[in-house]
Amino acid sequence: MFRRFNCSGLVNRTSNKPVPLKNISVNVEVKGFVADVVSTLVYKNEEENPLEAVFVFPMHDDCAVYKFEATVDGKTVVAEIQEKQQARDTYDDAISSGQEAFLLEQDESSSDVFTCTVGNLPPKQEATVGLAFVMELPLEADGAVRFVLPGVLNPRYTPQGFDQGQVTQQVPRVPMSEVPYKLEMDASIQYPHEITKVESNSTITPLQYLNSDKTSAKVSLDQGHQFNKDVELLIYYSDVHKPSICLESGLETAEAGTLMGDAALMLNFYPSIPESTSQSNMWEFIFVVDRSGSMACPMNNKSRATTRISSAKETLLFLLKSLPLGCYFNIYGFGSRYESFFSESREYTQDSMQEALEKVEKMEANFGGTEILQPLQDIYKKACVPGRLRQVFIFTDGEVGNTKQVILLVKKHSTNHRCFSFGIGEGASTALVKGIAKAANGTAEFITGSERMQPKVLQSLKRALQSSVKDISVSWQLPSGVKASLLSKAPVVMFQNQRSIIYAQLKGKLDEKAEGHASVEYIFEDQKCKESLQFRLEPERSSRLTVHHLAGKRMISELEEGEHENSDEVKKRITALSLQTGIISSHTAFVAINKELNQPIKGPLIRRDIPIGGYGMAKGCSYPMRLAAAPMKKMTFAKCMKMNTAPAPAPAELLCSAAMPPMIDLKLYGSSDSDTKEDSCSIDLNYSMSEKIAAVYSGDKQELRKKSRFKNFRKHEEGSVSEVSKKEESSPAVKLVSLQNADGSWKLDKEFAVLMALSEKELSSKIPKQEIDNSVWATVLAIVWLDAFGAEQKDECELLVEKALTWVKGHAGSYLKECCRVASDLLKTPFKPEIFGL
């Protein structure tokens, strides 16, 4: 059901209007580490007037959209890629003359948001819109290749003074249970080695192998799938870490010597990086945590899921317990304002750790909007601690409107720090999270669905503490007359268990019987290393030109992410490259015109915004946004975009005609009559919607009463999200970790004894020898307990356990094995001296 703001600016229900988007079907072809995707959207106008249907949707920022077409009355119209303003003019001219038109644009402020506009869709007519794109697939820590089809688009917060509006602010929202269109998805998978399994966060059919050696398979979503969340596939191969080369022939009709006319090569590079045995403390760690109102949203759309801010707080606990003594650290919280725990980074000691933990405990998602630029500016203006390498960890749900500005700031300061970023919850901006990590030579992780944040963050901390591969270069050995030209930059640094993809263009005539060699050279811990790969000069012929399109997208992205992206020269290069490769960019768009209508379409053009699912909008969970003033009936979407990418804030008296993202009726969730009265027109235009504006992620109040299947979570029905987070019960493992000292040891006291299910006196009486210090005994018990009973949190405990082992080995002396045996007997768990390296 559509819901719009009425004259009061508050929530009101209007009559049901048919949604023109009826169905989405997706076909995915996964070949190794690349996915080629074809999406088909079916629209039908069930109203009495022609429609302009506007669908704003998320895509991953590194997707290369290379095809857009529309089918009407059995005839397919293939879109042409044009310079963006020219495409908008073409669209507007067609609409004005009564023709049917289709427009696809990438948002100018964020490369992971697209808008599909279907204009002059006649009454009762159906139109099918198809778009095709390719994307690289990331590799997870457990070796899974991850494909994600985004289904959640959160509104992006636009900071004060930022002159570009955000199209996401105009998207209507419906509860997840009311998303009015279905999704069909089929996926075929090919890999040179065995495909061992496929997992998903959605219900899928059993994996069906298409050949005897299990190198080809397919899966599908169950029928009737409601597109109310990101759809993820985790694909596991038998030999995922093996480097490979894919060589693809160029387009026969393209000119030789150009990117599309020559063969293109994709090198999957996976360096063999050993794990460091020593750990340095020569670091300065700065943790930057989003405390905007949206961080009070749940991590996913499951009933009683933990909130984002609660997960971030627990993650900070594990981080603070895992840092090495002697390093320096600080913690920032940001929203519409920002604050730091300390005026400057402090040395990591027991006192500073304890003070920080006390501040973490008081953190809430109460800082308003999401403005990340100012805290980063404050960090960068402060000098690094002498002799320490600065490492910045950024935690955000990624809902900002000035993405490019933030990335450019991080890149400007990339010479004196590394940045590790984490996108929290579905809908986090891939452009922001990936962009800042790439800009400062770190890594990006996304925590979605039922995933826990802590393992991924602690894995990144482990990377940050270890040596990395540097000074990476690529060289080639090719037959005479053939030359390789790099199309993408080699990575600056790489970490353990990380893969990189490099693209090159092969110029000259290829002899399919000849061979070539690619060599990757790098430096690891002051040692020069070299890895080589041999390949046949026999390019694969592909009608989809997957490698060429990915290479073109990489080249466009590197130009768009550069410091001079807004210069006329760079804009011309981006536009030319986009037109040559057929890949959409921030300066181009696809446009298609159906010129075969028997007569012009007449009647007033009515705009219909396609709603998208939104969850996590409980009390205290609000999305700040600015309001549009112009009634849509008076202009096409393209004309509105010409005037400014999104309307500016309007005077209050103009708000009566503004279509706003729909919300849940407040009266259903305990609002007073005064909260919902409709006789006034008052809104604070730069306002984070107050905690009294409630919308519920699960769709209806009854869902909130369902029993949770998540452990250790309690919720009172009338409590707000922020109140719920305070009442969440920590697991025994988290409680035990919270008692650890900064040096890695534990103290034998009453709190510790309670977790061991014994009294303090009983624990003390079980010490094997009088000479053994109480802290040594407690630390041995804690290590044994975590090994036996903390298996679910083993990954996030790895570094703090290593620190505990180092401490106890230095203090237990010859009594370590005996302590381990007695502790195992006391906790009724098998004796495992290997835990202590014995």
Side-chain angles (χ1 to χ4, degrees):
M1 181 182 295
F2 277 71
R3 297 172 179 84
R4 294 181 180 272
F5 274 78
N6 68 339
C7 280
S8 69
L10 296 177
V11 177
N12 186 30
R13 290 173 180 257
T14 63
S15 59
N16 275 321
K17 290 292 183 182
V19 177
L21 178 59
K22 298 301 178 183
N23 190 67
I24 302 175
S25 62
V26 178
N27 175 261
V28 185
E29 287 188 7
V30 177
K31 292 184 177 180
F33 301 102
V34 170
D36 199 319
V37 184
V38 177
S39 293
T40 305
L41 293 77
V42 180
Y43 294 84
K44 186 173 184 181
N45 181 3
E46 296 178 344
E47 300 188 44
E48 300 301 323
N49 292 305
L51 289 183
E52 179 177 67
V54 181
F55 185 33
V56 180
F57 58 97
M59 291 184 70
H60 279 282
D61 72 309
D62 50 5
C63 287
V65 180
Y66 65 88
K67 188 176 183 180
F68 182 58
E69 63 183 22
T71 302
V72 182
D73 293 333
K75 175 175 175 57
T76 298
V77 183
V78 179
E80 177 185 352
I81 192 166
Q82 298 179 358
E83 186 274 328
K84 182 172 281 187
Q85 191 55 58
Q86 180 187 351
R88 289 173 177 173
D89 290 340
T90 302
Y91 174 87
D92 280 334
D93 291 345
I95 296 298
S96 299
S97 61
Q99 293 177 315
E100 198 169 14
F102 306 84
L103 183 68
L104 181 69
E105 298 179 86
Q106 176 184 306
D107 187 50
E108 292 181 6
S109 62
S110 188
S111 59
D112 60 349
V113 179
F114 283 74
T115 301
C116 176
T117 310
V118 178
N120 267 339
L121 184 61
K124 311 305 178 184
Q125 189 183 69
E126 185 172 284
T128 300
V129 173
L131 62 100
F133 61 91
V134 289
M135 61 185 294
E136 299 172 5
L137 300 180
L139 192 64
E140 298 290 289
D142 65 350
V145 174
R146 185 177 196 170
F147 169 78
V148 179
L149 185 68
V152 178
L153 176 62
N154 294 328
R156 308 290 168 82
Y157 181 81
T158 303
Q160 286 273 12
F162 186 65
D163 59 1
Q164 268 191 313
Q166 249 292 333
V167 70
T168 61
Q169 295 170 357
Q170 316 304 317
V171 181
R173 310 277 154 178
V174 296
M176 283 303 191
S177 60
E178 296 182 17
V179 171
Y181 38 84
K182 302 295 182 182
L183 171 68
E184 300 172 0
M185 189 178 86
D186 299 308
S188 62
I189 307 162
Q190 296 179 29
Y191 191 64
H193 307 284
E194 182 183 349
I195 303 163
T196 57
K197 63 178 178 178
V198 176
E199 297 177 350
S200 178
N201 65 336
S202 304
T203 304
I204 57 175
T205 59
L207 183 65
Q208 181 182 348
Y209 290 107
L210 303 179
N211 55 14
S212 58
D213 57 5
K214 298 183 178 181
T215 58
S216 180
K218 67 178 183 179
V219 294
S220 302
L221 278 179
D222 270 3
Q223 290 186 348
H225 180 87
Q226 193 172 29
F227 200 11
N228 57 6
K229 63 180 178 181
D230 294 354
V231 176
E232 301 180 10
L233 295 178
L234 294 176
I235 305 166
Y236 293 84
Y237 301 136
S238 61
D239 195 355
V240 73
H241 296 153
K242 190 173 182 179
S244 62
I245 283 181
C246 179
L247 183 61
E248 182 180 83
S249 60
L251 197 62
E252 291 183 359
T253 56
E255 182 182 350
T258 64
L259 169 59
M260 302 306 289
D262 287 339
L265 179 148
M266 179 174 66
L267 167 62
N268 282 287
F269 167 50
Y270 192 93
S272 302
I273 307 175
E275 188 167 324
S276 298
T277 55
S278 60
Q279 198 178 91
S280 169
N281 64 356
M282 303 304 290
W283 311 107
E284 177 194 11
F285 291 98
I286 300 178
F287 305 111
V288 186
V289 182
D290 192 338
R291 293 181 60 181
S292 61
S294 55
M295 286 291 288
C297 298
M299 291 289 293
N300 54 61
N301 64 345
K302 302 294 185 181
S303 178
R304 300 184 180 94
T306 189
T307 60
R308 298 173 185 175
I309 191 66
S310 296
S311 187
K313 288 166 66 174
E314 185 176 303
T315 302
L316 285 174
L317 166 68
F318 279 92
L319 284 169
L320 288 171
K321 297 294 182 177
S322 301
L323 295 178
L325 279 174
C327 72
Y328 282 73
F329 78 103
N330 202 351
I331 298 176
Y332 278 72
F334 71 92
S336 298
R337 58 187 176 90
Y338 71 91
E339 65 180 27
S340 59
F341 281 15
F342 313 119
S343 59
E344 57 185 20
S345 295
R346 284 195 188 174
E347 184 178 356
Y348 178 71
T349 64
Q350 179 64 26
D351 290 341
S352 62
M353 180 197 75
Q354 195 58 42
E355 183 178 350
L357 287 171
E358 291 171 2
K359 292 177 182 288
V360 167
E361 184 62 27
K362 297 175 183 177
M363 288 174 64
E364 294 183 24
N366 57 357
F367 275 24
T370 310
E371 297 190 28
I372 194 173
L373 199 64
Q374 290 184 342
L376 289 177
Q377 288 171 335
D378 187 70
I379 290 168
Y380 295 143
K381 76 180 182 182
K382 296 177 180 177
C384 299
V385 177
R388 313 280 169 152
L389 174 64
R390 177 175 284 175
Q391 315 246 34
V392 179
F393 283 56
I394 299 177
F395 305 85
T396 181
D397 53 19
E399 298 162 11
V400 302
N402 56 341
T403 297
K404 290 186 177 180
Q405 199 175 351
V406 173
I407 293 172
L408 286 175
L409 176 67
V410 173
K411 190 169 187 177
K412 181 179 178 182
H413 296 273
S414 61
T415 55
N416 62 5
H417 85 293
R418 287 193 301 203
C419 183
F420 298 83
S421 56
F422 306 89
I424 303 171
E426 296 180 4
S429 168
T430 59
L432 175 72
V433 176
K434 288 183 178 180
I436 56 181
K438 182 179 178 182
N441 305 317
T443 59
E445 297 283 357
F446 291 88
I447 301 96
T448 60
S450 58
E451 287 182 315
R452 298 182 69 250
M453 187 187 307
Q454 295 79 3
K456 290 195 171 186
V457 175
L458 271 295
Q459 177 66 30
S460 294
L461 177 61
K462 185 178 178 181
R463 286 174 175 169
L465 289 169
Q466 294 199 349
S467 301
S468 60
V469 164
K470 302 176 183 178
D471 297 334
I472 303 166
S473 63
V474 183
S475 59
W476 310 88
Q477 287 183 309
L478 298 167
S480 177
V482 180
K483 181 183 178 182
S485 176
L486 283 180
L487 299 174
S488 61
K489 299 175 183 176
V492 178
V493 296
M494 290 184 69
F495 302 93
Q496 189 182 41
N497 298 326
Q498 190 180 8
R499 183 209 61 194
S500 183
I501 295 179
I502 298 171
Y503 297 95
Q505 177 181 348
L506 294 191
K507 299 179 179 181
K509 188 174 181 179
L510 303 185
D511 180 356
E512 296 186 354
K513 296 180 180 180
E515 292 184 340
H517 289 80
S519 298
V520 180
E521 298 182 27
Y522 54 89
I523 294 177
F524 178 71
E525 293 187 343
D526 298 324
Q527 297 292 318
K528 286 189 176 181
C529 305
K530 182 177 180 179
E531 297 183 20
S532 298
L533 190 63
Q534 182 176 323
F535 61 98
R536 291 279 302 274
L537 293 179
E538 185 178 1
E540 177 184 342
R541 287 168 175 79
S542 170
S543 60
R544 292 192 175 186
L545 295 172
T546 301
V547 176
H548 286 77
H549 288 142
L550 286 171
K553 174 63 178 181
R554 182 75 69 86
M555 295 170 71
I556 291 171
S557 295
E558 289 179 356
L559 288 171
E560 289 179 332
E561 294 164 3
E563 294 183 14
H564 305 292
E565 184 262 334
N566 290 321
S567 70
D568 291 340
E569 178 62 29
V570 172
K571 286 181 179 179
K572 288 179 181 178
R573 290 176 62 190
I574 292 172
T575 301
L577 191 57
S578 177
L579 296 176
Q580 179 193 352
T581 60
I583 301 296
I584 199 169
S585 71
S586 57
H587 301 296
T588 55
F590 278 109
V591 62
I593 310 298
N594 182 10
K595 299 179 179 179
E596 298 195 5
L597 293 175
N598 295 327
Q599 58 184 6
I601 299 170
K602 298 180 179 180
L605 181 62
I606 308 298
R607 172 172 169 171
R608 288 283 177 254
D609 292 279
I610 308 301
I612 195 165
Y615 57 74
M617 301 179 72
K619 287 185 180 180
C621 179
S622 57
Y623 289 103
M625 56 190 65
R626 301 190 177 186
L627 309 185
M632 190 56 228
K633 292 183 182 180
K634 296 183 179 178
M635 62 178 68
T636 65
F637 182 74
K639 283 183 180 177
C640 181
M641 297 297 284
K642 283 186 207 174
M643 295 173 62
N644 198 346
T645 46
E653 60 268 18
L654 295 181
L655 292 175
C656 301
S657 61
M660 289 301 300
M663 311 269 262
I664 304 301
D665 191 331
L666 296 183
K667 292 181 179 179
L668 295 177
Y669 300 100
S671 297
S672 66
D673 290 340
S674 62
D675 291 331
T676 56
K677 64 183 180 181
E678 302 178 10
D679 57 356
S680 64
C681 192
S682 60
I683 285 185
D684 180 356
L685 294 174
N686 291 314
Y687 143 89
S688 286
M689 287 184 248
S690 79
E691 294 187 357
K692 290 186 177 181
I693 296 187
V696 178
Y697 65 92
S698 57
D700 72 287
K701 193 172 182 181
Q702 293 299 319
E703 182 66 20
L704 293 178
R705 297 193 178 103
K706 291 182 180 179
K707 186 175 181 180
S708 173
R709 59 187 183 85
F710 289 88
K711 296 180 181 179
N712 303 317
F713 193 96
R714 291 172 173 55
K715 177 173 170 59
H716 294 295
E717 279 190 14
E718 301 305 321
S720 70
V721 171
S722 58
E723 291 168 343
V724 171
S725 66
K726 295 176 184 177
K727 297 167 187 172
E728 291 179 9
E729 182 70 22
S730 296
S731 69
V734 172
K735 289 180 178 178
L736 182 58
V737 167
S738 69
L739 298 179
Q740 188 185 30
N741 296 319
D743 61 6
S745 67
W746 272 265
K747 179 182 177 182
L748 202 164
D749 57 14
K750 184 177 180 180
E751 284 185 276
F752 182 86
V754 168
L755 290 172
M756 297 297 113
L758 292 168
S759 69
E760 186 177 351
K761 184 176 180 180
E762 286 175 307
L763 277 183
S764 297
S765 68
K766 298 294 183 180
I767 298 178
K769 299 285 184 181
Q770 286 186 344
E771 299 92 321
I772 298 174
D773 183 78
N774 282 3
S775 291
V776 171
W777 174 231
T779 303
V780 171
L781 281 167
I783 294 170
V784 173
W785 191 99
L786 286 171
D787 179 76
F789 307 112
E792 289 186 1
Q793 292 169 303
K794 182 179 179 181
D795 290 338
E796 52 258 54
C797 289
E798 181 182 356
L799 289 174
L800 65 89
V801 168
E802 286 181 6
K803 186 161 66 167
L805 287 168
T806 301
W807 184 89
V808 81
K809 288 177 182 179
H811 291 78
S814 60
Y815 299 117
L816 182 55
K817 189 170 185 178
E818 179 65 11
C819 286
C820 176
R821 185 188 62 77
V822 176
S824 300
D825 291 342
L826 185 62
L827 297 175
K828 296 180 175 57
T829 185
F831 176 45
K832 296 166 67 175
E834 63 272 16
I835 297 173
F836 296 86
L838 301 174

